[in-house]
Amino acid sequence: MLFQNGKLLVRKLELKDNYLLAKWLSDPIVLEYYEGRDNPFDLEKVNKKFYQRDEIGCIVVFENVEIGYIQYYQLDKESKELYGYAEVPDIIYGMDQFIGKTEYWNRGIGTLLVKSMVEFLVKQKQADRVVMDPQTRNERALRCYEKCGFEKVKLLPQNELHEGEYRDCWLIEYTNI
């Protein structure tokens, strides 16, 4: 277990979780916001994308039900340059997440998850800043992140290929300085 906050538990991703990711990432409702409806995942694709990388992947559990995925990673030099932090000596982490069981959307769980992960990164990983780059059109996610203390830093034009076109994203930041 990475951390627990009330009914929310976050644990590290295990190989047996690949079927959960494949199920969630083949749901068009989830894919509309994460990866794209033209980019469904099967087990092979999940194993390549989620198990052969530097990010720390985790499963989100709420009331003993596995409902989503979250990952975190310390920004490398290339990412710091892309986001405009090349000269910033701070410890900066990025994170990405989704709730794969859509019946758990709009219940405040995303807010609890993001706040809890930020607290974990600040206290356990000594993060000075936590950043994300959601698409500008994902208004529900942006409202959640703003409730958690994130602020828009800058627009990232045509930053993410999603459903056949490059989409604008916001660089958002939580600062612990």
Side-chain angles (χ1 to χ4, degrees):
M1 176 179 62
L2 199 66
F3 63 81
Q4 184 168 0
N5 186 351
K7 297 176 180 180
L8 178 78
L9 180 141
V10 174
R11 64 169 175 78
K12 287 195 176 176
L13 186 67
E14 300 173 15
L15 188 55
K16 68 176 182 164
D17 298 320
N18 62 355
Y19 78 95
L20 289 169
L21 291 169
K23 180 179 178 185
W24 297 332
L25 293 174
S26 58
D27 180 341
I29 298 169
V30 174
L31 290 170
E32 181 178 355
Y33 299 99
Y34 197 92
E35 297 294 338
R37 291 168 287 201
D38 60 344
N39 192 20
F41 281 63
D42 58 17
L43 282 173
E44 181 181 347
K45 194 170 183 179
V46 163
N47 289 338
K48 283 183 183 173
K49 175 142 183 164
F50 290 89
Y51 291 94
Q52 300 171 7
R53 56 197 306 175
D54 294 331
E55 294 91 346
I56 308 298
C58 302
I59 292 293
V60 179
V61 181
F62 187 76
E63 296 179 332
N64 298 314
V65 178
E66 294 154 327
I67 65 163
Y69 174 82
I70 189 165
Q71 65 185 20
Y72 66 93
Y73 46 92
Q74 190 165 356
L75 261 60
D76 58 19
K77 183 179 177 183
E78 181 181 312
S79 297
K80 280 185 157 187
E81 288 175 8
L82 174 71
Y83 289 152
Y85 294 113
E87 304 302 318
V88 178
D90 299 346
I91 298 171
I92 305 173
Y93 275 83
M95 57 187 262
D96 307 284
Q97 59 281 319
F98 66 87
I99 295 176
K101 290 183 75 84
T102 57
E103 60 268 30
Y104 286 83
W105 289 9
N106 300 313
R107 294 178 49 187
I109 299 167
T111 301
L112 177 62
L113 173 63
V114 171
K115 283 182 178 178
S116 300
M117 180 56 82
V118 167
E119 182 178 333
F120 168 79
L121 293 172
V122 167
K123 290 183 176 177
Q124 302 299 317
K125 301 294 182 181
Q126 289 71 49
D128 298 308
R129 300 172 197 257
V130 180
V131 297
M132 291 188 276
D133 59 355
Q135 292 181 24
T136 57
R137 69 182 188 88
N138 195 344
E139 294 175 8
R140 179 177 53 232
L142 286 164
R143 281 192 306 274
C144 169
Y145 304 150
E146 288 170 347
K147 280 193 274 185
C148 296
F150 283 82
E151 295 181 358
K152 293 175 182 168
V153 175
K154 72 175 181 176
L155 185 66
L156 303 170
Q158 300 181 335
N159 188 63
E160 181 176 301
L161 181 62
H162 186 85
E163 299 185 343
E165 59 184 83
Y166 283 93
R167 306 283 176 108
D168 294 347
C169 296
W170 281 110
L171 172 63
I172 62 172
E173 168 187 89
Y174 175 92
T175 305
N176 185 46
I177 301 173

